């Protein structure tokens, strides 16, 4: 009797377990409509995508687990959780040991697989039950979660149980960047931009896997970074900007905050102090620097090429030593940019002498020198880098010296060039650069520069004609999104007609981020409040 009660109880328990398990199974396996991972609006386009036409259901029973004994992985997991929260208002626990029932898991794994052949490479395996992201380094995992963010749909499917669930298309992605250096530059000298503005730009760039932000920190119109041993640089030299508004500057704590924010986004900050030309603001602050015995006036115009340091004075180099030392000490990245462009009033020999001396200072503080393409006329080291902006001849000189070249040809990559004659902001001295012309060219084959000499692509945003974040966004977006693909994706994976569709579908993200992008009529934008505004205006 007793035995049979036990048997019956056990049977009932077993049946209950089966029923519960079946219900669990029902929750887990939802029949989503077929998906196609290959048709997702990913930018930059990954190296390889193999769709399996099902979906992973992201919902409140999803958790993120990461490798915990390798540096940075749990932070990358938390970064993803924060972005999911912001996008969907959904809480996804990270490495939690809590009691919450978990049905599906996103794993972010450190892997030593030989297929992961660079620090930024990653693999993404998405099935109905799990998402597995593999990478060698946290940097690779960070690039991989940008891909994941882009395929998490904005819209949920509401199940019978009135539960919101977001279907992520299943399949496999293997990815690796074509160029390790994918950058943009922001000129905070002609007009100053705040720490918050710079952080927003970092948010947007890193979503598209751009990994370098070059800050143009000094020019004729303003000196924007505190140098503790030379305080007048910012007190005087930072006090104005183009158009005569009060300028501004980053104190060293501000700069460190930007650097830390960039580091969290696996982005390198490159500081630029432009010399020996473009130095009016420095010479107004310390008139001995220009060597002509006159104290110049603060400059609020937009002419270039009228200022120079006195390149034959030792005290000028002591000054530069202090500047490079202080900035290098708070810059973890490997580069220091010395400018070197448009020194029209510096004699050629003086210019060469200057660049060679400053290169030594930069190296003394453990950095690799970058300069605009003119620097290759000096006897610089093969470890220094030339940034091609206008002269093919200078690029060839750099190649002869064995230097790497950053591609920033003005007529293709200058974000301050107008889109067309109707553009509200921007210049057009190099070209009008509509959205298609920005995308349709081949950095791998540009003006005979061999691929092995190309470090990467950078799109500079000069700020003579823009003074706030809305105007910055108007010039940078959508073109900078195209440069992300030009530098990440291989040539075979780039195609304007296909890119155009994926770009049109960035509008919901850009809207959510409140980006006032230029709604180019060449793109059939997916609904966007800004396109509506543009259309209304027309
Ligand atoms: C050229 S590019 C410059 C900048 C200007 C820019 C405007 C370069 C190295 N020098 O000083 O801001 O054109 O488009």
């Amino acid at each position: 009797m007793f035995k049979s009660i036990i048997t019956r109880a056990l049977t009932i328990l077993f049946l209950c377990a089966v029923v519960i398990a079946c219900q669990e199974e029902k929750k887990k396996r939802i029949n989503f409509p077929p998906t196609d991972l290959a048709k997702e609006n990913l930018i930059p386009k990954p190296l390889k995508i193999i769709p399996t036409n099902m979906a992973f259901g992201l919902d409140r029973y999803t958790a993120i687990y990461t490798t915990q004994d390798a540096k940075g992985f749990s932070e990358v997991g938390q970064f993803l959780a924060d972005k999911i929260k912001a996008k969907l208002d959904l809480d996804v626990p990270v490495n939690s040991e809590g009691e919450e029932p978990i049905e599906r898991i996103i794993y972010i794994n450190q892997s030593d697989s030989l297929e992961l052949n660079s620090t930024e490479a990653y693999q993404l395996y998405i099935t109905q039950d799990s998402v597995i992201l593999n990478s060698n380094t946290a940097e690779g995992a960070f690039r991989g979660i940008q891909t994941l963010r882009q395929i998490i749909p904005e819209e949920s499917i509401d199940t019978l149980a009135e539960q919101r669930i977001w279907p992520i298309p299943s399949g496999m992605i293997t990815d690796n960047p074509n160029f390790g250096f994918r950058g943009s530059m922001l000129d905070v000298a002609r007009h100053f931009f705040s720490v918050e503005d710079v952080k927003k730009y970092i948010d947007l760039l890193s979503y598209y896997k751009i990994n370098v932000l070059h800050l143009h920190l000094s020019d004729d119109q303003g000196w924007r970074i505190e140098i503790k041993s030379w305080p007048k640089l910012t007190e005087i030299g930072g006090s104005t900007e183009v158009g005569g508004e009060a300028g501004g500057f980053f104190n060293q704590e501000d700069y460190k905050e930007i650097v830390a924010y960039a580091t969290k986004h696996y982005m390198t900050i490159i500081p630029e102090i432009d010399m020996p030309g473009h130095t009016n603001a420095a010479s107004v602050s310390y008139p001995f620097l220009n060597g002509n015995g006159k104290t110049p006036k603060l400059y609020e115009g937009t002419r270039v090429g009228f200022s120079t340091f006195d390149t034959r004075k030792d005290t000028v180099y002591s000054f530069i030593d202090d500047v490079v030392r202080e900035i290098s000490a708070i810059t973890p990245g490997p580069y220091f940019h010395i400018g070197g462009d448009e020194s029209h009033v510096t004699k050629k020999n003086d210019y060469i002498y200057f660049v060679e001396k400053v290169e030594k200072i930069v190296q003394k503080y453990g950095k690799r020198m970058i300069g605009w393409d003119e620097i290759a006329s000096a006897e610089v080291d093969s470890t220094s880098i030339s940034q091609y902006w206008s002269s093919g001849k200078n690029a060839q000189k750099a190649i002869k010296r064995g230097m790497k070249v950053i591609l920033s040809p003005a007529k293709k990559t200058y974000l301050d060039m107008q889109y067309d004659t109707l553009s509200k902001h921007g210049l057009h001295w190099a070209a009008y650069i509509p959205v298609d012309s920005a995308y349709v060219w081949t950095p791998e084959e540009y003006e005979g520069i061999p691929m092995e000499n190309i470090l990467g692509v950078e799109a500079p945003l000069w700020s003579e004609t823009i003074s706030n974040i809305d105007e910055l966004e108007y010039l940078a977006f959508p073109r900078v999104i195209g440069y992300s693909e030009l530098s990440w994706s291989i040539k075979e994976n780039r195609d304007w007609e296909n890119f155009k569709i994926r770009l049109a579908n960035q509008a919901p993200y850009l809207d959510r981020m409140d980006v006032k992008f230029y709604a180019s009529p060449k793109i059939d934008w997916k609904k966007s409040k800004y396109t509506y505004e543009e259309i209304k205006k027309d």
Side-chain angles (χ1 to χ4, degrees):
M1 173 72 180
F2 187 62
K3 219 176 166 187
S4 81
I5 289 174
I6 297 233
T7 319
R8 275 171 74 187
L10 280 176
T11 314
I12 290 167
L13 263 177
F14 175 72
L15 286 176
C16 284
V18 169
V19 170
I20 290 168
C22 286
Q23 279 174 348
E24 290 290 322
E25 202 52 29
K26 250 192 237 153
K27 259 196 221 162
K28 268 187 209 154
R29 290 275 162 94
I30 293 153
N31 289 326
F32 295 114
T35 64
D36 188 350
L37 187 58
K39 292 223 174 80
E40 286 294 308
N41 297 300
L42 286 166
I43 300 180
K45 186 101 172 165
L47 193 57
K48 203 157 109 198
I49 306 177
I50 301 172
T52 52
N53 311 104
M54 291 175 293
F56 172 91
L58 172 68
D59 66 3
R60 53 188 277 232
Y61 300 111
T62 306
I64 297 172
Y65 285 96
T66 72
T67 296
Q68 294 192 59
D69 54 2
K71 199 171 162 250
F73 277 80
S74 53
E75 287 81 359
V76 169
Q78 190 56 53
F79 186 97
L80 176 61
D82 293 346
K83 295 299 176 187
I84 291 175
K85 174 79 181 165
K87 180 170 180 173
L88 311 177
D89 194 25
L90 175 72
D91 289 297
V92 181
V94 182
N95 295 329
S96 101
E97 289 159 10
E99 298 296 299
E100 281 291 302
I102 298 302
E103 290 173 0
R104 278 173 297 273
I105 293 183
I106 300 173
Y107 294 101
I108 304 179
N109 282 325
Q110 197 278 331
S111 158
D112 290 325
S113 160
L114 290 177
E115 282 168 38
L116 295 161
N117 52 3
S118 85
T119 52
E120 294 187 287
Y122 68 91
Q123 299 159 328
L124 203 49
Y125 298 96
I126 305 163
T127 67
Q128 281 174 295
D129 306 314
S130 65
V131 172
I132 301 175
L133 171 61
N134 287 332
S135 61
N136 269 180
T137 64
E139 186 183 1
F142 186 81
R143 304 298 171 227
I145 63 166
Q146 307 315 315
T147 303
L148 201 50
R149 288 175 67 192
Q150 293 191 7
I151 56 178
I152 294 173
E154 308 256 340
E155 305 290 329
S156 62
I157 289 179
D158 296 336
T159 62
L160 284 180
E162 289 191 0
Q163 200 143 291
R164 299 204 300 159
I165 187 157
W166 289 266
I168 302 181
S170 67
M172 191 186 98
I173 293 178
T174 0
D175 207 1
N176 193 18
N178 197 21
F179 292 109
F181 184 112
R182 306 174 301 281
S184 181
M185 185 208 81
L186 180 61
D187 173 6
V188 293
R190 269 54 176 272
H191 280 100
F192 183 63
F193 291 87
S194 67
V195 172
E196 287 316 305
D197 293 342
V198 177
K199 283 185 175 173
K200 184 175 180 192
Y201 199 38
I202 291 174
D203 285 336
L204 296 165
L205 296 177
S206 63
Y207 183 74
Y208 295 104
K209 301 191 176 73
I210 288 176
N211 64 353
V212 172
L213 178 62
H214 162 186
L215 292 174
H216 184 76
L217 292 167
S218 71
D219 212 301
D220 290 318
Q221 298 87 344
W223 184 286
R224 308 295 179 206
I225 173 105
E226 174 192 23
I227 303 296
K228 292 191 196 280
S229 49
W230 299 87
K232 286 187 197 160
L233 287 170
T234 44
E235 270 165 35
I236 299 173
S239 65
T240 188
E241 61 183 17
V242 168
E245 301 292 307
F249 63 90
F250 301 128
N251 62 33
Q252 293 200 0
E253 292 309 309
D254 294 332
Y255 180 79
K256 284 189 210 162
E257 191 179 328
I258 292 172
V259 165
Y261 196 74
T263 304
K264 194 177 158 220
H265 292 74
Y266 290 88
M267 184 176 284
T268 301
I269 295 289
I270 301 181
E272 177 187 350
I273 296 298
D274 202 349
M275 315 174 266
H278 291 271
T279 45
N280 185 73
S283 296
V284 178
S285 314
Y286 294 102
F288 79 91
L289 290 167
N290 71 11
N292 64 14
K294 293 186 195 136
T295 302
K297 291 200 173 66
L298 287 166
Y299 183 65
E300 296 154 358
T302 59
R303 263 186 317 120
V304 295
F306 62 87
S307 56
T308 185
F309 278 164
D310 182 344
T311 63
R312 301 284 170 174
K313 213 191 242 168
D314 287 346
T315 44
V316 169
Y317 296 101
S318 322
F319 165 83
I320 294 171
D321 193 288
D322 286 336
V323 169
V324 177
R325 175 177 49 77
E326 287 198 31
I327 296 176
S328 297
I330 52 176
T331 302
Y335 309 112
F336 191 101
H337 200 307
I338 68 149
D341 58 314
E342 299 172 318
S343 283
H344 301 323
V345 295
T346 319
K347 291 200 186 81
K348 180 132 201 233
N349 281 345
D350 291 347
Y351 176 83
I352 289 172
Y353 177 80
F354 179 85
V355 170
E356 290 167 9
K357 285 206 54 130
V358 175
E359 181 185 54
K360 297 279 170 308
I361 298 174
V362 170
Q363 290 172 346
K364 176 171 142 198
Y365 292 108
K367 302 293 179 198
R368 234 176 126 172
M369 181 176 83
I370 307 180
W372 296 104
D373 61 42
E374 291 94 323
I375 63 155
S377 58
E379 294 268 333
V380 288
D381 200 78
S382 63
T383 56
S384 292
I385 297 157
S386 158
Q387 184 162 9
Y388 174 14
W389 66 282
S390 81
S391 162
K393 257 197 199 154
N394 284 338
Q396 291 307 324
K397 281 186 202 163
I399 293 160
K400 283 214 187 78
R401 297 192 187 285
M403 297 164 73
K404 295 267 191 227
V405 176
I406 297 166
L407 292 181
S408 302
K411 55 180 187 247
K412 281 292 174 194
T413 67
Y414 268 26
L415 289 167
D416 65 315
M417 292 299 115
Q418 292 175 300
Y419 292 93
D420 55 39
T421 53
L422 300 174
S423 292
K424 289 189 282 190
H425 309 286
L427 305 168
H428 55 260
W429 64 265
Y432 290 104
I433 309 184
V435 182
D436 50 354
S437 147
Y439 180 86
V440 185
W441 62 289
T442 314
E444 294 90 335
E445 291 159 12
Y446 197 71
E447 296 203 354
I449 302 171
M451 183 66 181
E452 64 264 27
N453 285 83
I454 304 174
L455 188 64
V457 182
E458 182 187 296
L461 179 49
W462 301 99
S463 63
E464 285 94 333
T465 66
I466 53 170
S467 60
N468 58 49
I469 183 88
D470 290 359
E471 294 166 0
L472 179 164
E473 289 166 359
Y474 171 90
L475 285 178
F477 293 90
R479 287 180 293 197
V480 76
I481 301 176
Y483 300 128
S484 98
E485 180 148 307
L486 273 181
S487 51
W488 178 283
S489 310
I490 56 169
K491 198 170 78 184
E492 294 72 17
N493 280 341
R494 301 196 305 259
D495 170 66
W496 166 250
E497 292 303 324
N498 178 274
F499 175 73
K500 224 167 112 170
I501 298 164
R502 286 178 287 123
L503 184 60
N505 282 284
Q506 302 306 306
Y509 167 71
L510 296 173
D511 269 0
R512 192 157 52 77
M513 295 295 289
D514 201 23
V515 176
K516 314 274 189 313
F517 64 96
Y518 166 59
S520 161
K522 289 177 186 269
I523 307 296
D524 186 11
W525 296 100
K526 196 174 167 191
K527 272 191 211 153
S528 157
K529 60 183 178 202
Y530 299 121
T531 38
Y532 291 148
E533 276 167 22
E534 287 290 323
I535 289 162
K536 266 189 252 150
K537 261 183 237 147
D538 286 346

